[in-house]
Amino acid sequence: MVNSAGPWGTGPYKLVEGVALPNQRSDRVVLEANLDYWNQHRFPRLQRIIFDNTLSQKEAVELVKSGEGRVDLVTGLSPLETLRVAQSPFAKVVKNRGSLEAVFGQFNMLKTGSPWTDVRLRQAVNVAINREDFIRYAAKGNGVSTATLLSPRSFGYNSTLTPYPFDPVKARHLIREAGYANGLPVTLIAPEGLEIQATVVSKMLEQVGLTVQLQLLDPATYNSKTVIDRLDQPPEQQRWDIALTHWGDPINFPVFDFYNALALNGNSDWIMEEPELWQLHAQILRTVDRKQQLGLIHQMERHTYEHAYFLFLYSPIGLFAVNKAVKFEPYAVGLLRLDETSVTEEHWSVRKKKTAVHE
């Protein structure tokens, strides 16, 4: 099996080869069934799981859909690949419709002379996006438009908020009102994995009078522009305007994974914080009452929405390319867990064993 994001499944399986740390991984990581595992309801169903981190995403997808024996599962399948995988005699597409992930844009409010400290400009960019067309063309229908960063299944999701409506007339009015009657040059950066999404966003922004320069960056270069402790230059010298990114909430508590990191002095915080967010954050951390937490997160969401701190886009449906003989059910939180994964009698490894026995 291959996992482009690295191995996370533990418990029923034990590490026998390689390094499996979040920020460090070997080219090859091997897990074997823990036959002494205490929980019989989640007893390992696979003898061995191999994570091959030497393959590119393109190579892995080609292998899983064109043959058997080398790759059984690929994470992070591009929406553009779904039809070709579905037509394969060897592979199928598995979807995670309850994903707690978000694709969105960050405004660079920290660079010297940033225009993005003006809420009117941030709102203009949000209403410049035709989200219905965006989902159709950029995600091939594999996503849900969101009003904020949270997906409908997220803890704290505020159902009273609706995505910014597509209104190019209002977008142009807000841009003029913010002082850019002659337009504004915008540098949009994105990791290579979001090329299609970034291209669609750039075209939509150009339709309302912005001049967009799109830069697609490899992961290391992208992080050197957006992750505070890895920057190649200080924040005030970073010249990009909007950074498209893909973010997940593995513990389903957005106060930590979204707000801490992206808005409250975290390692990916590019906004000018408002005291109200800090106050709400402190109140949430002082209570263990889930109902109170929910109400306070709703307030944080509304404040973030009204101030358009981000370019809100969509919650993607997680896509996987999987061998047809593999039974795989993805977890909503987005982490790759293989505890319940198994194979059928038609899997190549089972057929191989049967052949060996008959011989």
Side-chain angles (χ1 to χ4, degrees), residues 155 283-284 286-296:
F155 178 72
Q283 291 179 59
I284 292 169
R286 283 199 298 265
T287 179
V288 295
D289 184 279
R290 295 286 279 180
K291 189 174 181 179
Q292 290 183 32
Q293 289 178 343
L294 190 64
L296 291 167

Side-chain angles (χ1 to χ4, degrees), residues 51-70:
F51 294 88
D52 187 342
N53 296 313
T54 65
L55 298 172
S56 69
Q57 186 79 358
K58 184 177 180 180
E59 291 171 329
V61 172
E62 186 61 33
L63 286 169
V64 76
K65 69 184 179 68
S66 63
E68 292 183 306
R70 177 69 190 276

Side-chain angles (χ1 to χ4, degrees), residues 198-209:
T199 300
V200 174
V201 167
S202 68
K203 298 302 181 185
M204 290 182 175
L205 295 185
E206 288 175 347
Q207 291 299 311
V208 298

Side-chain angles (χ1 to χ4, degrees), residues 130-150:
N130 184 329
R131 286 166 177 78
E132 182 178 340
D133 282 354
F134 179 89
I135 297 296
R136 180 184 299 117
Y137 297 117
K140 298 300 181 183
N142 293 289
V144 179
S145 297
T146 54
T148 63
L149 302 183
L150 303 193

Side-chain angles (χ1 to χ4, degrees), residues 259-278:
Y259 279 98
N260 268 4
L262 297 165
L264 296 171
N265 207 29
N267 211 26
S268 296
D269 178 9
W270 290 87
I271 74 172
M272 303 297 288
E273 293 84 11
E274 292 288 339
E276 184 173 339
L277 279 185
W278 283 101

Side-chain angles (χ1 to χ4, degrees), residues 100-149:
L100 301 177
E101 300 181 350
V103 172
F104 57 95
Q106 293 179 272
F107 296 110
N108 185 352
M109 303 185 207
L110 302 185
K111 69 176 182 177
T112 302
S114 174
W116 304 104
T117 56
D118 191 325
V119 65
R120 294 170 297 185
L121 201 56
R122 303 195 301 268
Q123 290 172 340
V125 168
N126 270 284
V127 298
I129 303 299
N130 184 329
R131 286 166 177 78
E132 182 178 340
D133 282 354
F134 179 89
I135 297 296
R136 180 184 299 117
Y137 297 117
K140 298 300 181 183
N142 293 289
V144 179
S145 297
T146 54
T148 63
L149 302 183

